[in-house]
Amino acid sequence: MTNEGASKTIVVGYDGSEESHRAVQWAAKHAILRDCSLHVVHCSLWVLLSHNRGPVPGVADSGLERAAQKVLEEGVALAKETVPELDVHTTLLHGMPRDHLAHVSAGAAMLVLGSRGLGGFMGLLVGSVSLELAATAECPVAVIRADDNPESFVLLAVDDSGSPAALEDACHFAEATGADLKIVHVLHEPAGYRRLRDPVEDYPEAEALLDSVMSRARHKAPGITVDGELLVDASFSRAVVKASQGARLTVVGTKGHGVIKGTIGSTAHAVLHHAHSPVLVSRRKAEPA
């Protein structure tokens, strides 16, 4: 697939799991709302395990290659069942999803992934492939664990920069769905610190930043309702996760400055694991050095 017209395409990874079922359904619904086509991609791992992927002699519709094709066909059927009029195209690839999906989705409107973590293990609920792609893809990445509030608001968390890429993505979603947009900015307050004054009076610069972001949101998406809240907490991610309760989508940016190359920041990492909604990490193609 070339990148021509990729920005009008939503790419979704499908592997037959329950998590990827939810991802395809979510991606299909949002593709039609945003006037995008849907590109369903299945990455078969059989190439890593066996060189003999052809049909079994005398057994119709058999073989590892055919099994991979069936998974892809199942993903397409699920998308069409969700949104019958949707334009859906497919790609079957062989190898690790993290290697292929970043390339296939470069320049797309969005890459949608399911969460594949081992629920409850050290509290981490998001699989390694989703985490890696959220850190390396060259387009916004949505990770879907549940979709419990499809008619609710879009939550946008902004940092001191105003998170311009995340703001743009959140406005696109709010406009496409008709959802209200709630913008939060979190101020760090050390544990045990006691405020004696009203927090808005204490932090006029932060309040001004929040007002500025809200103004830009209203300019970008004049038809939506925009609300804002200044939060004060010892943990930025904890405050965002708490605010995500009841949201249809939580949008966060990432500076991509993890200590380890290919990692996202600690806030986006924590929100991906613990948010009460689908999470969109607002990534963009890296600028040349």
Side-chain angles (χ1 to χ4, degrees):
M1 175 186 174
T2 67
N3 285 342
E4 184 177 356
S7 62
K8 294 298 291 180
T9 300
I10 289 178
V11 178
V12 60
Y14 183 75
D15 64 5
S17 66
E18 181 180 344
E19 293 87 352
S20 68
H21 273 245
R22 285 194 289 266
V24 167
Q25 291 172 320
W26 191 93
K29 293 173 185 176
H30 286 83
I32 200 70
L33 286 172
R34 295 181 61 172
D35 193 28
C36 291
S37 63
L38 185 66
H39 185 181
V40 182
V41 180
H42 174 54
C43 297
S44 172
L45 301 180
W46 291 120
V47 67
L48 306 178
L49 305 174
S50 173
H51 294 294
N52 184 14
R53 304 194 302 273
V56 177
V59 180
D61 206 30
S62 64
L64 299 180
E65 186 72 8
R66 179 60 189 138
Q69 292 170 349
K70 287 180 181 178
V71 173
L72 187 60
E73 291 167 3
E74 180 182 89
V76 173
L78 182 61
K80 285 290 192 180
E81 177 184 314
T82 305
V83 183
E85 67 272 28
L86 187 62
D87 176 21
V88 181
H89 48 112
T90 65
T91 299
L92 174 61
L93 298 169
H94 300 86
M96 298 300 291
R98 63 174 177 265
D99 298 328
H100 290 306
L101 286 173
H103 175 71
V104 171
S105 64
M110 180 168 47
L111 170 62
V112 182
L113 304 166
S115 170
R116 292 296 309 273
L118 300 175
F121 178 69
M122 297 181 66
L124 302 182
L125 304 177
V126 176
S128 60
V129 172
S130 298
L131 282 175
E132 185 166 347
L133 284 164
T136 59
E138 296 186 349
C139 70
V141 178
V143 178
I144 315 302
R145 185 162 69 241
D147 188 19
D148 296 333
N149 301 287
E151 303 302 321
S152 190
F153 62 93
V154 172
L155 178 72
L156 167 64
V158 298
D159 61 18
D160 291 340
S161 71
S163 304
L167 173 62
E168 184 176 334
D169 288 333
C171 287
H172 281 319
F173 265 89
E175 274 195 311
T177 60
D180 293 347
L181 176 60
K182 180 178 180 180
I183 303 173
V184 296
H185 177 53
V186 184
L187 283 164
H188 179 263
E189 179 185 86
Y193 178 78
R194 185 176 179 183
R195 294 189 313 277
L196 299 178
R197 294 179 296 167
D198 183 88
V200 173
E201 294 179 3
D202 283 350
Y203 306 107
E205 291 182 1
E207 189 70 12
L209 170 67
L210 183 60
D211 287 343
S212 174
V213 175
M214 292 171 60
S215 176
R216 294 201 299 273
R218 293 183 178 114
H219 177 73
K220 288 176 177 291
I224 64 173
T225 298
V226 178
D227 188 17
E229 184 176 3
L230 184 63
L231 306 176
V232 182
D233 201 297
S235 166
F236 187 99
S237 56
R238 180 176 62 194
V240 175
V241 168
K242 184 176 179 180
S244 74
Q245 293 181 354
R248 72 190 300 162
L249 179 73
T250 298
V251 184
V252 295
T254 175
K255 294 183 175 68
H257 295 158
V259 175
I260 302 173
K261 184 179 180 181
T263 62
I264 54 178
S266 59
T267 297
H269 187 279
V271 172
L272 274 171
H273 280 308
H274 301 298
H276 302 278
S277 70
V279 176
L280 181 74
V281 179
S282 294
R283 296 195 55 79
R284 295 292 186 273
K285 184 173 182 178
E287 294 297 329

